[in-house]
Amino acid sequence: MTAAPGPGPDPVDALMDAWRTELPDVLRPTTELSKRITQLAGALDEATRGILPELGLTVAEFDILVALRRAGEPYRMQPNELARSLLLSSGGLSNVVNHLTGRGLVRREPSPDDGRATMIRLTPDGVHTAEHAVRAHADAHEAVFAEASPTAVQAAARALREVGIRRRPAPRPLRTGRNRSRS
């Protein structure tokens, strides 16, 4: 298997070549794809983390603000729904919401459906900050793809949708000499 025509060898090509030489039986049809996805995810994460200090936000604050903005008007969610959607613990969410509340970006308010429940809602400043952050985030991600043609980006998105993970497979135990049962 050789590298596809394009801009030339890259770190994933070098990794693949090394494994082809050293331990070719570890290569699977998904090896190169998974390495490229990991490399791309790292570049996108780095781009996001690069803009957050300019916005005065942490990753968790950014995630909460954009989740609330994405929810649509009136830009509010129940804490448990917000924590579940962001994979945060309730304590972790509470700490970040307290900080955002102190900055005037969100507020806690009673649920209109259940006076015992609380909602987290963006303030007008929070809406503005979230929208600014989402635009900066989109620009940073677009810069990662700057050298790719729009056609290539669209084709990659279609291909990844096709191979996308539908469910999380159960991990298989390692089979090494140490953890094999001794009979």
Side-chain angles (χ1 to χ4, degrees):
M1 184 186 297
T2 60
D10 64 15
V12 174
D13 293 329
L15 178 93
M16 297 298 291
D17 287 344
W19 282 121
R20 266 186 219 96
T21 301
E22 296 298 320
L23 203 55
D25 63 305
V26 302
L27 297 177
R28 306 285 190 274
T30 57
T31 302
E32 182 176 2
L33 176 63
S34 63
K35 297 304 178 195
R36 291 195 180 283
I37 289 170
T38 300
Q39 184 181 46
L40 179 58
L44 293 169
D45 184 58
E46 184 180 323
T48 297
R49 289 176 185 275
I51 61 151
L52 292 180
E54 298 169 22
L55 301 169
L57 297 172
T58 65
V59 172
E61 291 168 342
F62 170 80
D63 288 344
I64 289 171
L65 292 176
V66 299
L68 290 167
R69 177 59 184 85
R70 184 175 55 241
E73 286 203 62
Y75 311 123
R76 68 178 176 211
M77 294 174 76
Q78 293 179 341
N80 62 349
E81 177 186 18
L82 187 56
R84 194 172 38 251
S85 74
L86 298 175
L87 304 176
L88 289 173
S89 69
S90 59
L93 177 75
S94 184
N95 289 337
V96 178
V97 168
N98 287 342
H99 191 250
L100 292 170
T101 300
R103 292 179 56 195
L105 300 175
V106 301
R107 68 174 174 253
R108 288 182 172 89
E109 60 184 31
S111 169
D113 302 325
D114 179 355
R116 298 168 296 167
T118 302
M119 303 290 283
I120 309 298
R121 183 180 188 155
L122 286 177
T123 64
D125 283 347
V127 172
H128 173 76
T129 300
E131 290 174 357
H132 180 66
V134 168
R135 286 184 175 93
H137 179 258
D139 290 345
H141 281 199
E142 186 153 335
V144 170
F145 295 104
E147 294 183 25
S149 72
T151 302
V153 171
Q154 291 167 354
R158 281 192 304 276
L160 288 171
R161 183 180 300 114
E162 185 177 323
V163 300
I165 297 170
R166 303 291 182 240
R167 62 181 169 77
R168 177 180 236 130
R172 293 190 297 207
L174 291 176
R175 301 281 186 221
T176 66
R178 273 189 328 187
N179 64 2
R180 288 187 182 161
S181 63
R182 295 181 183 161
S183 319

